[in-house]
Amino acid sequence: MQNTDNTGGPDNRILFLLDKLYARLNVSQREAVRAVNGPLLVLAGAGSGKTTVLVNRVYHIINFGDICEARPNFGDPLFAREYEKAKNGDIPQTKEFLKRIAVNPANPENVLCITFTNKAAGEFKERLGKMLGKDAGGIWAGTFHSICARILRGHIDKIGFSNSFTIYDADDSKKLISQIIKDLNIDEKFLPAKAAAQAISSSKENRVTPEEMLTSSRDARQTLIARIYDEYMSRLKKASALDFDDIILSALVLFESHPRLLEYYRDKFDYILVDEYQDTNPSQNDLVLMLGKGKNNVCVVGDDDQSIYSFRGATVGNILNFDKSFPKLKTIKLEQNYRSTQNILSVANALIGNNKGRKGKNLWTSGGEGEKIIARRLYTQAEEAEFICGEIMRLSALGTPLGDIAVLYRVNAISNAIESSFIKNRLPYKIFGGIRFYERKEIKDIVAYLSLISNPADDIRLRRIINTPKRQIGEATLEEMTAISLKNRLPLLEVAKNSSSYPTLARACAKLERFCGLIGDLSDFARQNTINAIINEVITRTGYLKMLTDAKETDREEMVREFISAGLIYEESSENPTLAGFLEEISLVSDIDDYDEGSQSVSLMTVHSAKGLEFPVVFISAFEEGVFPSAMSVGEGNLEEERRLAYVAITRAKKKLYLTHTDSRTLYGFTSPSRPSSFLEEIPQNLLETYEPESPRGRRNYTGSPRAVYSSSGRGGEAYGKKGKSAPGGGNKYSFGGEPPKKPGGVDFSPGEYVEHKYFGKGKVVSFEKMGQDALIEVDFENGQVKKLMASFAKLEKSKKP
């Protein structure tokens, strides 16, 4: 019932039916679903429903094809009556009519959908299954690696591998590289296996061969890596094994060396869809272009403003320059947001608008303006953590579920003070994308050293660190020491000290005596020095820090340095700081057995881990220059990626957003003045509710030195300082000098006194600890809760005895 009328544009009657079918989609989403033929870039802003577009687009391709090119004969009376039924009938009637006039609907097995994670692929398949039923099973849907592995299983024998190849994980690869380093007589102190593995992986992502690496090497170290790389590839092939990077690289090699096979897959895939395109690396981009240039029906979806994984090899240029690979590219922007309030989106728009390397879009919502963003200045990270906990308790008391709240930070080290405050306030929390601070291996190792120094009979801790870093004290020696210890009822350290007396320990005697000498020296040092000095001495004298530095374990190295901060903070908050007291405190912090993992918990995570998630309430902590944006990234010229990272953090919030920063911060063992993030200057001040601490300006920091007074000017709006204060000339001024605020009233309480809190009700003061001009108050409330609150924001009132 079609005629040959080719007017060039879609029939409005067909568009009407499609709009009826996709009524839940907005105009831009419907356009992206219908744009079937030719290359398409969908710029999908945060919270704009990109997964919905992808699922509906696949559904549309399989059911209706390029239906917008249909030219049915509406002059036929019978056809016209059927159209009227579809127009006025229910959705099933509309759907059946559209299927009748479909143009080249695709077979499911001819559709390729690539996602970035197995989880995303699973969710994608599940949603398609609900819409398509059994047809969904035929679609090629999966990650880059799973799709390539599927292709390789059938054809990798063409490039010299067995089709039953094995896949090495990161640990397998590192072990093989370690063995090669050993076989080539390379000093692993000069070239650690992990560093070589990272260099090889990066080369593979950029399609650099061992020969090319050798030719371009500029020093002896790179030459050695090239040799290792060459031998590594040789041994992989001998074992018919692929590492994670090889899976994509081998697919590219296969297609390049066998053009007919490439043509087969180009012909097979009528339509290609790729999600999160801003996160692709060069090899993944090459694969999409190689397959997509067959029929040009390739659709990539992503957000250049959320490209935050350059450290993993992702290249934002892949999405920015996609039009150069496909000159006839059509671009559709999804700008309507279904997640956040307009104030949150306006903050995100203002911030990301300062990036030059972007396509450009403006997020908006029909959901209302919402609350202003709260920007809170505090003196120290301890107060910041207490403020965050206090706000969470207040919100919880008002009915916000703890599971609706997230605390985000730029680097894992920031979580230390926050975790400690959560545990002290008995707030349940979960760490995502990382390990709880005191559960990390490196922290447990340093605690083991401190414990052995404090208690030489601690055999469990000795076992943990006697060969960490490596001292060539093996398991056989430790087993023999254990046997002697049990027989003579002596601590293991005592056995080690007297190892020359035991013939079975003769070969290890010198090594054991050196270890005992190290522990003895550290014990002597500990009796005369501060906690942070002891920690610093331990990580240095034991060689632990050097071990991490040599292995380029940057994150673990930062965690160890941050542990020094824990010692500093303990000393400043304790009347009589001792090593035993410090170990007792952190052992209590480490005890999480009482937490119910299935209960409602606050989420703590880095911003990178938060991508793809959303929460009604979000706190972004340490929003400070040098932290967020990080000093390293700014120094390397990556400010635009840092700004994209801040954009991602802000757009995780649905209803309420807090930005917190401090006057000083103890990080990686050093206390230094802080200043607000330069990103804060880029936010229009009319979108912020800004607050300063209520305690006097003359307060001193943990090191006893006066805090720096600083100011910087920026763009438009009100002053960032005490709420309601205007800057001369309307400038955005961060000024923390001038007249100090008045001392808050009612901060002096005594244990045993009765108080009343606006949300927690009446309670009895358990302890009162002055902290400069502020104080930390512990209250046992009548509702059964025991809370530790900062006096400056708790606003407790004295009450009569119940």
Side-chain angles (χ1 to χ4, degrees):
M1 292 185 183
Q2 298 191 23
N3 61 26
T4 57
D5 176 30
N6 280 316
T7 58
D11 191 295
N12 287 334
R13 287 162 289 194
I14 295 175
L15 291 182
F16 176 84
L17 294 181
L18 289 174
D19 285 346
K20 177 183 175 182
L21 183 64
Y22 300 124
R24 289 181 295 178
L25 306 185
N26 64 42
V27 174
S28 297
Q29 289 174 330
R30 291 199 292 267
E31 184 184 4
V33 167
R34 294 195 306 256
V36 170
N37 286 334
L40 175 67
L41 168 61
V42 179
L43 282 176
S48 62
K50 68 179 178 63
T51 305
T52 297
V53 168
L54 277 171
V55 171
N56 279 275
R57 182 178 165 81
V58 173
Y59 170 85
H60 183 92
I61 288 169
I62 291 173
N63 278 289
F64 313 125
D66 191 19
I67 195 172
C68 291
E69 293 296 314
R71 294 289 178 266
N73 184 5
F74 284 97
D76 184 300
L78 178 61
F79 188 82
R81 284 197 297 272
E82 290 181 357
Y83 167 74
E84 288 298 321
K85 288 180 182 178
K87 176 182 174 183
N88 299 314
D90 56 21
I91 293 296
Q93 284 180 300
T94 303
K95 192 183 300 182
E96 286 305 312
F97 179 82
L98 288 170
K99 280 186 177 182
R100 284 190 57 200
I101 61 172
V103 176
N104 299 320
N107 290 319
E109 60 268 22
N110 299 132
V111 178
L112 171 63
C113 302
I114 304 176
T115 60
F116 248 82
T117 65
N118 289 318
K119 180 184 177 184
E123 292 174 353
F124 188 73
K125 290 175 183 176
E126 183 181 352
R127 289 180 65 173
L128 275 176
K130 290 178 180 177
M131 294 186 72
L132 290 168
K134 62 180 181 180
D135 286 341
I139 297 171
W140 280 53
T143 63
F144 274 99
H145 291 90
S146 66
I147 294 296
C148 287
R150 184 174 175 180
I151 292 171
L152 291 172
R153 286 294 176 197
H155 310 286
I156 199 172
D157 59 312
K158 290 179 171 60
I159 55 173
F161 285 78
S162 166
N163 287 346
S164 58
F165 62 88
T166 57
I167 297 175
Y168 281 3
D169 63 18
D171 192 51
D172 295 326
S173 296
K174 186 179 174 183
K175 285 178 180 176
L176 177 55
I177 289 171
S178 292
Q179 186 61 50
I180 292 170
I181 288 173
K182 183 179 178 181
D183 293 345
L184 294 177
N185 294 315
I186 298 171
D187 185 355
E188 195 161 346
K189 292 181 180 178
F190 175 70
L191 181 55
K194 183 171 183 179
Q198 288 173 339
I200 291 170
S201 177
S202 178
S203 295
K204 288 185 177 185
E205 286 176 354
N206 290 285
R207 304 197 65 192
V208 176
T209 65
E211 294 78 14
E212 290 169 337
M213 180 186 278
L214 184 61
T215 302
S216 62
S217 64
R218 292 170 293 182
D219 53 40
R221 196 169 187 270
Q222 285 188 334
T223 300
L224 287 176
I225 292 174
R227 287 181 60 198
I228 295 167
Y229 185 9
D230 186 56
E231 181 63 21
Y232 174 67
M233 294 304 293
S234 175
R235 295 194 189 186
L236 282 176
K237 192 164 188 176
K238 184 179 179 182
S240 198
L242 302 180
D243 66 18
F244 206 58
D245 298 306
D246 280 329
I247 296 173
I248 296 175
L249 192 60
S250 295
L252 292 172
V253 171
L254 179 66
F255 287 146
E256 288 171 346
S257 58
H258 293 79
R260 288 186 179 180
L261 188 64
L262 173 60
E263 286 305 314
Y264 168 80
Y265 280 101
R266 280 181 168 178
D267 186 60
K268 176 179 179 57
F269 297 128
D270 293 331
Y271 299 95
I272 298 173
L273 300 91
V274 188
D275 194 12
E276 302 285 10
Y277 206 69
Q278 76 280 349
D279 293 334
T280 54
N281 62 35
S283 293
Q284 292 163 338
N285 185 59
D286 287 347
L287 183 71
V288 172
L289 298 184
M290 197 175 282
L291 291 172
K293 285 191 174 181
K295 296 184 178 177
N296 285 331
N297 291 333
V298 54
C299 167
V300 299
V301 181
D303 183 2
D304 53 316
D305 291 333
Q306 295 189 70
S307 179
I308 60 173
Y309 293 118
S310 65
F311 65 94
R312 293 182 188 169
T315 306
V316 69
N318 290 344
I319 192 169
L320 292 177
N321 300 319
F322 198 67
D323 56 343
K324 294 179 181 177
S325 300
F326 294 95
K328 295 183 179 180
L329 178 74
K330 180 175 184 177
T331 300
I332 297 173
K333 297 180 181 180
L334 304 183
E335 297 175 298
Q336 184 174 358
N337 178 280
Y338 295 93
R339 175 188 300 161
S340 307
T341 64
Q342 187 59 55
N343 277 337
I344 291 171
L345 297 179
S346 296
V347 166
N349 288 333
L351 181 66
I352 202 65
N354 290 283
N355 272 8
K356 295 186 178 2
R358 63 189 294 257
K359 291 285 188 181
K361 60 185 174 305
N362 197 57
L363 299 182
W364 62 276
T365 181
S366 59
E369 286 191 0
E371 300 179 30
K372 289 187 177 183
I373 284 67
I374 295 175
R376 176 71 190 227
R377 169 195 162 209
L378 298 120
Y379 284 126
T380 66
Q381 73 253 45
E383 292 183 7
E384 178 187 52
E386 284 296 325
F387 165 74
I388 290 171
C389 285
E391 275 296 287
I392 289 172
M393 290 187 288
R394 183 181 72 82
L395 292 171
S396 177
L398 291 172
T400 301
L402 293 179
D404 285 356
I405 303 172
V407 181
L408 309 183
Y409 32 81
R410 174 64 181 84
V411 290
N412 275 313
I414 298 298
S415 70
N416 181 12
I418 297 172
E419 284 191 69
S420 296
S421 185
F422 267 71
I423 292 167
K424 288 176 183 176
N425 286 287
R426 302 182 71 82
L427 272 173
Y429 70 98
K430 290 181 181 177
I431 293 283
F432 290 84
I435 305 170
R436 291 176 185 265
F437 185 78
Y438 287 104
E439 287 184 304
R440 298 181 69 99
K441 179 186 183 302
E442 59 272 21
I443 301 303
K444 284 180 171 289
D445 287 345
I446 303 306
V447 169
Y449 273 109
L450 296 174
S451 299
L452 190 59
I453 292 167
S454 178
N455 175 19
D458 193 338
D459 287 355
I460 297 296
R461 278 9 190 303
L462 180 142
R463 288 176 185 277
R464 183 180 183 92
I465 46 84
I466 193 169
N467 201 39
T468 304
K470 298 291 185 184
R471 300 186 178 92
Q472 286 75 51
I473 301 174
E475 284 298 319
T477 299
L478 197 53
E479 286 176 11
E480 186 58 38
M481 289 172 61
T482 301
I484 295 170
S485 169
L486 292 171
K487 181 179 179 180
N488 297 282
R489 297 187 178 182
L490 293 172
L492 286 175
L493 189 62
E494 194 68 26
V495 173
K497 282 180 183 177
N498 299 293
S499 55
S500 60
S501 303
Y502 306 107
T504 53
L505 295 177
R507 293 181 62 183
C509 178
K511 299 166 188 173
L512 292 172
E513 287 180 350
R514 279 197 297 272
F515 175 74
C516 291
L518 171 66
I519 299 300
D521 290 345
L522 289 172
S523 297
D524 292 340
F525 184 88
R527 283 191 283 271
Q528 303 172 38
N529 288 276
T530 60
I531 306 300
N532 65 298
I534 297 168
I535 298 172
N536 196 57
E537 187 75 1
V538 166
I539 65 176
T540 305
R541 285 282 295 277
T542 61
Y544 199 94
L545 192 60
K546 185 177 185 301
M547 174 187 73
L548 298 180
T549 303
D550 289 347
K552 299 189 181 303
E553 298 268 8
T554 307
D555 187 55
R556 295 180 63 203
E557 185 180 342
E558 287 181 353
M559 291 299 103
V560 168
R561 292 187 186 278
E562 176 59 16
F563 189 48
I564 302 173
S565 301
L568 276 171
I569 293 169
Y570 165 75
E571 286 180 337
E572 294 294 336
S573 62
S574 176
E575 291 184 6
N576 182 31
T578 63
L579 179 56
F582 175 64
L583 290 169
E584 180 183 339
E585 179 169 292
I586 62 176
S587 70
L588 294 175
V589 169
S590 301
D591 186 7
I592 58 167
D593 293 338
D594 291 336
Y595 280 95
D596 180 6
E597 293 296 329
S599 67
Q600 278 284 321
S601 305
V602 180
S603 299
L604 272 61
M605 66 187 79
T606 64
V607 181
H608 282 101
S609 297
K611 187 172 179 291
L613 303 177
E614 59 184 44
F615 302 90
V617 180
V618 170
F619 292 81
I620 304 176
S621 59
F623 207 58
E624 297 155 17
E625 200 68 12
V627 178
F628 204 165
S630 76
M632 184 179 297
S633 295
V634 173
E636 294 175 352
N638 293 329
L639 185 61
E640 292 215 346
E641 177 149 338
E642 286 292 300
R643 193 176 280 112
R644 292 196 293 268
L645 194 59
Y647 172 86
V648 167
I650 289 165
T651 54
R652 299 312 94 195
K654 297 170 72 174
K655 296 180 180 179
K656 201 171 186 67
L657 175 65
Y658 294 80
L659 307 173
T660 64
H661 62 90
T662 63
D663 278 8
S664 79
R665 187 170 295 276
T666 304
L667 198 60
Y668 310 134
F670 298 95
T671 300
S672 56
S674 304
R675 60 179 297 152
S677 170
S678 55
F679 294 156
L680 209 48
E681 297 183 14
E682 299 175 1
I683 298 173
Q685 293 300 291
N686 63 302
L687 299 174
L688 300 175
E689 290 281 3
T690 58
Y691 296 88
E692 286 190 355
E694 297 180 9
S695 48
R697 187 67 190 88
R699 177 171 180 173
R700 299 164 77 85
N701 64 15
Y702 282 143
T703 61
S705 58
R707 297 183 180 278
V709 177
Y710 53 85
S711 66
S712 66
S713 59
R715 290 183 292 278
E718 299 173 0
Y720 184 84
K722 292 185 72 175
K723 184 179 175 183
K725 183 179 178 181
S726 299
N732 174 7
K733 266 200 180 300
Y734 297 77
S735 180
F736 301 126
E739 296 182 12
K742 294 179 181 179
K743 180 178 179 179
V747 298
D748 292 320
F749 297 93
S750 300
E753 283 190 308
Y754 289 90
V755 294
E756 187 167 357
H757 187 273
K758 183 176 181 180
Y759 300 108
F760 302 129
K762 292 184 177 182
K764 185 178 181 180
V765 176
V766 177
S767 65
F768 178 83
E769 180 183 352
K770 281 190 173 293
M771 299 179 70
Q773 297 297 322
D774 208 340
L776 181 65
I777 308 172
E778 184 176 11
V779 181
D780 184 358
F781 288 100
E782 289 180 351
N783 62 9
Q785 293 181 301
V786 178
K787 302 288 183 185
K788 287 188 176 182
L789 307 168
M790 297 304 296
S792 62
F793 64 84
K795 304 191 186 306
L796 294 168
E797 299 289 340
K798 292 188 177 182
S799 174
K800 294 181 180 180
K801 184 176 180 179

